[in-house]
Amino acid sequence: MAELPSILDLPEEQRAVCAQLGIETVGVDDADATTLAERAARRALAEAGISAEELGALLVVEQRAPRTLLSSEATLLQARLGATHALTFTVGGLGCVSVTPALLTARGLLAADPELGPVLVAHGSKPVSEHRYRHPVTVNGDGGQALLLGRRGKVTIVDQVQETDGRYWDLFHVDYRGRHPSRWREECTDQPAYSFRLAVETRNRLRALLDRLLRRNGLVRADVRGFVSQNLSAGGLTFTEEALDLTLLPDCRENLRTLGHLGPNDVFLNLSSALQTGRLADGDHAVLINVSPVAAWSLLLVRIGPERDGNAPSRQKSQETTA
């Protein structure tokens, strides 16, 4: 665990912005992203009492910066775990929202093949840049997470919705070609577009997606026990609350303050925390809200407890945050 701003060497004009993010410490680990994912995967399998050889599929939410090109870190993770029989590939391209298509794919595999073993979704969150700060958005920490999906589990994925808008495909990027890694930066190519146009777009999209998600599942907001979001900044959490006229569970701000941003791992980290603190219990519904500046938006509706009819794929969870 590293305290801010001691690990950040920021220009003076960026320090004030960073200080307002609501992040005090972030997890820092010497391990690479694959090792972070491996640790979480082993913990998930151990908690479920399942061996890696029993896995039907291993889906890896892709890293933003692989160590080498052409090689496959997904099959490296497969080999390390000993998931000999698992169908293995990566899912990604949507930043933080990439966990949603991974879950959609896992549910599709389970529904398509009744004999398929459990599906493991894993991700190691490691910043592209050693500088960690993405101006003016967040500070990235290190962490691994693994989600074990089967036909019965501790949490049921009821439904999920997702949309994207390719007009913002390059709003944030790292210009790395021809640059030494010490010069890599997560840069916003158009700050007015991020601060204003994308903010309005996000508000409208999230409102419409939430209404659609609840309506098609026969629910109203009062039926949702808790809402969780990703951990970008205190201002980002407030924006989500005001845009949707709701209150996020306190776990979001607590994890933001101590761990920073963990990419696709954020929403399930916050869900896990809410379960551990007792803010969510069996029978409760929760909505997980995820946004990526590429731009992509997703909402997941989950119910605590196993699937009632025993047929739909559900999720067993385990996550690891490095310290």
Side-chain angles (χ1 to χ4, degrees):
M1 194 71 68
E3 295 184 2
L4 305 186
S6 61
I7 64 166
L8 301 178
D9 181 18
L10 300 178
E12 185 174 352
E13 64 273 14
Q14 294 184 4
R15 291 176 192 165
V17 176
C18 182
Q20 299 300 316
L21 294 175
I23 301 172
E24 297 178 6
T25 60
V26 294
V28 175
D29 197 296
D30 291 335
D32 62 19
T34 300
T35 301
L36 293 172
E38 178 189 357
R39 291 177 187 171
R42 291 188 183 281
R43 178 177 168 183
L45 293 170
E47 289 183 355
I50 293 174
S51 71
E53 290 186 349
E54 297 177 74
L55 291 175
L58 170 62
L59 308 184
V60 182
V61 179
E62 69 180 17
Q63 303 172 26
R64 303 310 295 271
R67 286 182 298 176
T68 57
L69 300 177
L70 296 182
S71 59
S72 171
E73 297 193 33
T75 55
L76 170 61
L77 179 59
Q78 178 190 25
R80 286 186 180 180
L81 293 175
T84 311
H85 306 295
L87 173 66
T88 301
F89 55 94
T90 61
V91 178
L94 298 179
C96 308
V97 174
S98 294
V99 67
T100 303
L103 295 175
L104 282 167
T105 303
R107 295 186 78 197
L109 291 171
L110 288 165
D113 184 354
E115 297 183 357
L116 187 75
V119 179
L120 187 68
V121 175
H123 176 67
S125 179
K126 194 82 176 178
V128 176
S129 167
E130 63 184 21
H131 301 280
R132 296 188 176 273
Y133 177 55
R134 185 193 303 168
H135 182 72
V137 184
T138 194
V139 181
N140 298 295
D142 298 343
Q145 187 172 90
L147 309 173
L148 186 62
L149 290 97
R151 292 175 177 82
R152 294 189 66 83
K154 298 177 182 178
V155 177
T156 298
I157 299 174
V158 179
D159 199 2
Q160 49 203 105
V161 290
Q162 174 187 309
E163 291 183 354
T164 56
D165 187 337
R167 292 177 297 172
Y168 301 94
W169 73 275
D170 196 33
L171 188 55
F172 283 86
H173 69 204
V174 176
D175 186 4
Y176 72 96
R177 288 185 180 271
R179 292 187 178 186
H180 189 273
S182 64
R183 296 178 56 208
W184 290 3
R185 297 289 190 279
E186 296 188 29
E187 299 174 328
C188 181
T189 59
D190 189 341
Q191 288 198 26
Y194 171 72
S195 300
F196 301 104
R197 293 196 295 276
L198 184 57
V200 172
E201 181 84 359
T202 294
R203 180 196 64 193
N204 295 338
R205 294 270 190 160
L206 290 181
R207 287 177 178 175
L209 285 172
L210 180 57
D211 289 345
R212 179 171 131 210
L213 181 68
L214 296 178
R215 182 175 62 253
R216 76 184 193 183
N217 286 280
L219 300 174
V220 296
R221 291 196 185 200
D223 296 321
V224 179
R225 183 71 177 90
F227 293 87
V228 301
S229 184
Q230 63 194 137
N231 303 331
L232 289 176
S233 67
L237 296 175
T238 299
F239 171 84
T240 299
E241 291 177 323
E242 293 178 348
L244 297 178
D245 190 24
L246 53 80
T247 300
L248 296 170
L249 291 178
D251 306 85
C252 299
R253 285 181 170 80
E254 293 169 7
N255 288 323
L256 169 71
R257 179 177 59 82
T258 58
L259 300 172
H261 179 48
L262 298 176
N265 294 343
D266 278 351
V267 289
F268 282 100
L269 165 66
N270 293 335
L271 177 65
S272 177
S273 295
L275 292 171
Q276 293 171 10
T277 57
R279 293 186 175 108
L280 294 173
D282 278 359
D284 288 343
H285 284 92
V287 172
L288 283 58
I289 304 163
N290 220 344
V291 175
S292 174
V294 288
W297 305 267
S298 77
L299 277 75
L300 291 156
L301 175 64
V302 303
R303 186 178 61 252
I304 312 307
E307 177 64 29
R308 290 168 182 160
D309 62 15
N311 294 322
S314 61
R315 184 186 66 83
Q316 293 176 316
K317 59 143 188 77
S318 178
Q319 68 84 31
E320 173 182 302
T321 301
T322 60

